[in-house]
Amino acid sequence: MLDKSPRANAVNVPNDLAAHWMPFTANRAFKKAPRMLAGAKGMHYITTDGRNILDAAAGMWCTNAGHGREQISEAIARQAAALDYAPPFQFGIPQAFELATRVADLAPAGLDHVFFCNSGSEAVDTALKIALAYHQVAGQGSRTRLIGRERGYHGVGFGGTSVGGIVNNRRLFGTLLAGVDHLSHTYDREKQAFSKGEPEYGAHLAEELERLVNLHGANTIAAVIVEPMAGSTGVIPAPKGYLTRLREITQKHGILLIFDEVITGFGRLGFAFAAERYGVLPDMITFAKGVTNGAAPMGGVVVRDTIHDAFMKGPEHVIELAHGYTYSAHPLACAAGLATLEIYREEKLFERARALEPKFIDAVMSLRNEPNVLDIRTVGLTAGIDLAPRADQVGKRGFDGLNSAFFDHDLMLRIAGDTLALTPPLIVSEDQIGEIVEKVAKVIRAVA
């Protein structure tokens, strides 16, 4: 579908880009050919030269309700005028308690307490610290080991990087935290290629946890953390039955189970949280991104009653958990979160994503015969398209695809090496799904 809306006026761009060291970016390549953004509305970004770029990435898995939502920006402005900042240690604001209640209401029953922070990385490190502290107060201080999973992404804090399993995210930083081990990843292209939704093969891979229990001893393991869908590594849905079996093994051995739902939370898989989609009750859920529609930094952890209540003992004037951040439950973030959750409810965006999923899957799967496509994985409104790497240039085809999409086809997508990831806002229309797939086909051919 050709976008014939008028272009916005061009925006001045600084001549000197040297001072800004950009995160997770090939800085030298970017500064030779900058992909610069100046505005956004609905399903589109607007570049500094006035082009409309179709957003097939929801920014960075964040803007589930689309861009430029006035309900959110107006809520932030009102809050800034009334109360710009309040210290979160020993003081509170009504909006923080209201938002915590709203988030807890969306979570599975039993997950009723919310600890706020500012990002997915902070949410993960918070959950890991809560797990370690919980075993201390529960009289099981020997439980200090943390278990992640290969190809997992849990942010960039020391804890999250340690339990994460993406090699390039770890290689520069030495040994990180001690006492960490990893489950095998769940992807087997030979047996799972072109699966629609959760693959049939792979539930047995959860049994790897029993091997780690036998190796280290259950009484040394504090928690296991996994993503219900591994997003940043290229969209790897959990196999059918895998999460259920992981829950059974962790319960058997008294190990806490943490679902990292920074990406999957708030509708990406058609439910408020993926835990609901899979009918599995973890001990903690981390969230961020979609909670404010990307309009303000916020993250958090939803915690089971039994964990929270274990801390609520001793003298009442004593701090129960020595943890938090200067900007925990920031007033502007709380305002953005409340407005965002209201949009999700009013527009039934989680239900909408669930209804669109079959159409989205079929549309993306139509790309399977394009050149160099090795596999396509889909779940919810998310897809990963693996392209064959170029000889001795792993990741170059994907990087060229990112540039081709942006400069030649007015499309934003995400890449993970040579994987193209599609994660559009939940407001995407069926016509726009068709437009995204049509443009992706052109990108794939351009980098063939």
Side-chain angles (χ1 to χ4, degrees):
M1 182 176 68
L2 182 63
D3 183 2
K4 296 183 179 180
S5 57
R7 288 188 175 187
N9 293 329
V11 175
N12 289 333
V13 177
N15 292 324
D16 186 359
L17 306 181
H20 181 22
W21 191 350
M22 300 173 67
F24 274 113
T25 299
N27 276 253
R28 291 164 297 167
F30 178 92
K31 290 169 185 179
K32 289 178 180 177
R35 296 174 292 276
M36 301 288 273
L37 306 172
K41 188 68 177 177
M43 281 291 299
H44 291 83
Y45 277 103
I46 303 166
T47 65
T48 52
D49 60 353
R51 292 184 298 127
N52 288 312
I53 304 292
L54 181 58
D55 183 7
M60 253 176 60
W61 315 84
C62 301
T63 55
N64 292 349
H67 297 280
R69 300 303 301 251
E70 293 180 2
Q71 190 170 334
I72 301 173
S73 59
E74 290 171 359
I76 293 172
R78 287 194 302 270
Q79 185 59 58
L83 176 64
D84 54 353
Y85 175 77
F89 302 173
Q90 306 285 11
F91 297 89
I93 62 172
Q95 294 85 351
F97 293 92
E98 182 181 357
L99 182 59
T101 299
R102 293 284 302 276
V103 171
D105 285 346
L106 290 173
L111 289 159
D112 292 333
H113 300 278
V114 179
F115 194 103
F116 286 116
C117 54
N118 309 287
S119 68
S121 295
E122 290 183 0
V124 167
D125 278 18
T126 296
L128 297 177
K129 288 181 72 176
I130 289 174
L132 294 171
Y134 167 74
H135 288 299
Q136 288 282 348
V137 301
Q140 299 188 61
S142 64
R143 290 184 180 268
T144 60
R145 189 174 298 278
L146 301 168
I147 306 295
R149 188 170 60 188
E150 294 172 355
R151 297 192 67 169
Y153 179 72
H154 302 292
V156 295
F158 267 88
T161 306
S162 298
V163 296
I166 298 178
V167 174
N168 286 343
N169 291 355
R170 298 166 54 89
R171 68 169 75 248
L172 290 178
F173 307 111
T175 57
L176 298 164
L177 294 184
V180 173
D181 211 332
H182 292 79
L183 298 165
S184 300
H185 65 77
T186 64
Y187 180 56
D188 186 327
R189 181 178 292 157
E190 184 177 328
K191 296 181 175 65
Q192 297 172 342
F194 300 101
S195 294
K196 294 183 176 182
E198 297 78 6
E200 297 287 344
Y201 175 87
H204 68 283
L205 296 169
E207 302 296 333
E208 174 78 3
L209 181 56
E210 289 282 16
R211 185 187 69 80
L212 295 181
V213 168
N214 291 333
L215 175 64
H216 299 297
N219 67 337
T220 72
I221 302 175
V224 173
I225 182 167
V226 295
E227 302 160 277
M229 175 203 71
S232 296
T233 192
V235 183
I236 301 178
K240 291 180 180 177
Y242 174 87
L243 297 172
T244 299
R245 183 60 186 137
L246 208 58
R247 173 74 284 191
E248 292 169 353
I249 297 170
T250 53
Q251 285 182 320
K252 171 184 172 184
H253 295 292
I255 300 167
L256 298 183
L257 178 62
I258 303 167
F259 278 3
D260 184 343
E261 297 222 34
V262 169
I263 283 175
T264 56
F266 304 104
R268 179 55 49 190
L269 301 193
F271 295 84
F273 292 102
E276 182 181 357
R277 178 180 176 119
Y278 298 116
V280 177
L281 180 65
D283 297 294
M284 287 183 265
I285 291 175
T286 65
F287 66 88
K289 295 188 184 289
V291 68
T292 64
N293 201 47
M298 174 169 264
V301 186
V302 196
V303 181
R304 286 190 73 167
D305 292 352
T306 50
I307 296 173
H308 168 271
D309 294 348
F311 290 88
M312 300 301 136
K313 297 173 182 176
E316 290 189 358
H317 71 282
V318 175
I319 293 169
E320 296 96 358
L321 179 65
H323 179 71
Y325 303 91
T326 300
Y327 298 117
S328 290
H330 191 281
L332 305 192
C334 288
L338 288 168
T340 297
L341 296 190
E342 192 63 21
I343 290 173
Y344 292 155
R345 184 190 65 80
E346 289 175 349
E347 299 183 8
K348 300 186 185 310
L349 290 186
F350 304 163
E351 296 88 344
R352 189 175 191 279
R354 195 155 66 243
L356 276 176
E357 179 175 358
K359 299 178 178 68
F360 178 78
I361 287 175
D362 287 344
V364 176
M365 282 295 177
S366 71
L367 298 168
R368 64 185 298 165
N369 294 320
E370 295 294 335
N372 297 306
V373 172
L374 300 178
D375 188 20
I376 299 175
R377 296 172 297 281
T378 60
V379 63
L381 289 188
T382 305
I385 304 164
D386 287 350
L387 302 181
R390 293 184 176 138
D392 300 322
Q393 286 187 307
V394 173
K396 185 64 165 61
R397 196 187 299 277
F399 182 75
D400 288 347
L402 175 73
N403 279 325
S404 175
F406 183 84
F407 290 114
D408 302 327
H409 301 290
D410 292 342
L411 179 71
M412 175 185 284
L413 45 72
R414 289 194 56 71
I415 58 170
D418 288 303
T419 299
L420 311 181
L422 305 179
T423 64
L426 310 185
I427 64 167
V428 66
S429 68
E430 290 187 43
D431 284 348
Q432 286 166 335
I433 290 172
E435 183 182 358
I436 289 169
V437 170
E438 181 181 340
K439 290 187 173 191
V440 171
K442 292 178 180 177
V443 167
I444 294 172
R445 293 166 199 160
V447 301

